[in-house]
Amino acid sequence: MTDSFTPVSLDTVCRVEFGPGRIGLLPELIADTGRHRAFVVTDRGLRAAGIAERVLKILDAAGVEYAVYDEVAPNPSTGNVDAGAARARAFGPAAVVALGGGSVLDAAKGISLLVGNPDAVAADADHLWEAADGLPLIAVPTTSGTGAETNGFGVIEDAAACRKVYIGHPSVKPRVALLDPELTLGLPPAATAATGIDALVHGIESLASRGADAFSMAYAGQAVAMIGRALPRAHRDGSDLDARAELMMGAHLAGQALTLSGLGLVHGIGHALTAHTGTPHGVALAAVLEEVMEFSAPAAQEAYEQTARALRVPPPADGDWARAAVAAVRELSGALDIKRPLRELGADRALLPAVAAGAVADAVTKNAPRLPREQEVLEILDAVL
Ligand SMILES: NC(=O)c1ccc[n+]([C@@H]2O[C@H](COP(=O)([O-])OP(=O)(O)OC[C@H]3O[C@@H](n4cnc5c(N)ncnc54)[C@H](O)[C@@H]3O)[C@@H](O)[C@H]2O)c1
Ligand SMILES: [Fe+2]
């Protein structure tokens, strides 16, 4: 949390193009990067949904030369990024177009950075922050979740080390975020819920973060309001373009917020759970969200009041806004049917110490309003086993 005397700076956002049909701008946005060829990074799901083909047709019609790497896996690995980079190096100078969810956007950042650093591999992530520039990147998200279009780092799984590494560089922060909600119309309900809850958690953790400032709080408050309103509607009826559009903008604003403020313990636990069980990011967050909020409440009263107000919770009779915020989040999560006990996600009691240790060691946890000890995380995990 901040006060009015804390110095802040805002290195303003990348170009944002938002609206149904905006994908048609892609050829001119590629030309604006100074490159005339495109290296398109996507995944098999986007191929199967016909979205990759729709976008490639737009490039064909405009005569843009391109190559496609479509083998990004959910929770992409260092091996994935290295394979994509080998393909991109062979293709030569180009703008990178990242078409997909957070997995694709994150992998594309790594690929772009490795092309600029021919001797590097993805496992060098910790040392690449000061490296040479990557290729220019245009982000085209097809989920309303991660907000990965707002920042210059990717979360990549180092399978050998069983941990998430952050691969990033200022040059791979997308030059343009091309936000077309039509691309999300076909996202199935379960994926809409998982990605949407990720965005909601970005908003809530950003409000409560030690790194919060006036800008991040403005973004995060509006994000929670938009996501809270639109997510249940988009989940119920995926073809509701209004709800899809509001959710997409909300997720983007939540991304802007987290990029400024950092996150917290829900993400620390979520990353560790995913690394050990392969659980999708949003599902891992949902498993512990209310419990982490309860743990954090003593240090996050104001943030949770803002959360509750953004979710349009009426003033609670007992004045306990934090409890009201947790109840509202529980209701939303229930409507999405997304919360699962850890056992259903492939965890057992023997795994919990490793998850707790991973959560405490994760860089995101350092911004939590109440810093947890490993034993305290273990108790949270035990309660949701
Ligand atoms: N860089 C960041 O700031 C940041 C923040 C949070 C999370 N992440 C990372 O993002 C990843 C998760 O991303 P995600 O939640 O967007 O999921 P995802 O990218 O893994 O996509 C999930 C599935 O949905 C499919 N899909 C995507 N869009 C679709 C569409 N429009 N129609 C039909 N199917 C579609 C994909 O093919 C994939 O199979 C994790 O690796 C997480 O660590 C990054
Ligand atoms: Fe996230």
Side-chain angles (χ1 to χ4, degrees), residues 173-272:
K173 176 171 166 171
R175 303 273 178 99
V176 189
L178 181 48
L179 307 176
D180 188 335
E182 283 180 1
L183 301 182
T184 67
L185 287 171
L187 191 67
T192 300
T195 52
I197 212 86
D198 182 27
L200 180 74
V201 177
H202 294 162
I204 296 173
E205 292 214 286
S206 178
L207 283 173
S209 168
R210 286 166 184 261
D213 64 27
F215 292 115
S216 66
M217 284 159 67
Y219 283 127
Q222 178 68 1
V224 172
M226 294 179 90
I227 297 161
R229 192 163 46 209
L231 177 52
R233 287 165 56 214
H235 178 253
R236 250 191 328 267
D237 175 8
S239 67
D240 180 340
L241 185 58
D242 268 1
R244 291 292 195 184
E246 184 167 17
L247 185 57
M248 182 166 246
M249 180 53 92
H252 177 72
L253 295 177
Q256 296 287 6
L258 86 88
T259 297
L260 294 168
S261 66
L263 290 166
L265 180 57
V266 184
H267 271 77
I269 296 177
H271 290 160

Side-chain angles (χ1 to χ4, degrees), residues 265 295 356 360 370-380:
L265 180 57
F295 169 79
V360 171
R370 179 176 171 194
L371 294 176
R373 284 180 284 120
E374 226 168 280
Q375 179 58 31
E376 290 167 328
V377 178
L378 206 50
E379 283 161 21
I380 292 171

Side-chain angles (χ1 to χ4, degrees), residues 42-51 72-76 99-106 109 141-157 164 166 181-188 191 194-196 198 202 244 255 258-259 263 267 271 274 280-282 285:
T42 188
D43 68 24
R44 293 281 158 79
L46 272 304
R47 284 277 201 197
I51 294 171
V72 176
N75 300 311
L99 175 70
S103 298
V104 165
L105 269 50
D106 281 3
K109 291 172 191 172
T142 62
T143 61
S144 295
T146 68
E149 71 278 7
T150 61
N151 58 53
F153 66 90
V155 193
I156 304 293
E157 179 122 358
K164 292 273 191 179
Y166 297 87
E182 283 180 1
L183 301 182
T184 67
L185 287 171
L187 191 67
T195 52
D198 182 27
H202 294 162
R244 291 292 195 184
L258 86 88
T259 297
L263 290 166
H267 271 77
H271 290 160
T274 295
H281 181 61
L285 302 176

Side-chain angles (χ1 to χ4, degrees), residues 260-324:
L260 294 168
S261 66
L263 290 166
L265 180 57
V266 184
H267 271 77
I269 296 177
H271 290 160
L273 258 181
T274 295
H276 286 280
T277 64
T279 304
H281 181 61
V283 177
L285 302 176
V288 295
L289 174 56
E290 299 92 322
E291 291 72 18
V292 172
M293 287 178 75
E294 280 163 350
F295 169 79
S296 309
Q301 292 290 316
E302 206 180 314
Y304 291 166
E305 174 172 344
Q306 281 171 298
T307 301
R309 287 187 191 275
L311 293 173
R312 283 163 289 276
V313 174
D318 61 1
D320 190 342
W321 280 101
R323 199 152 52 104

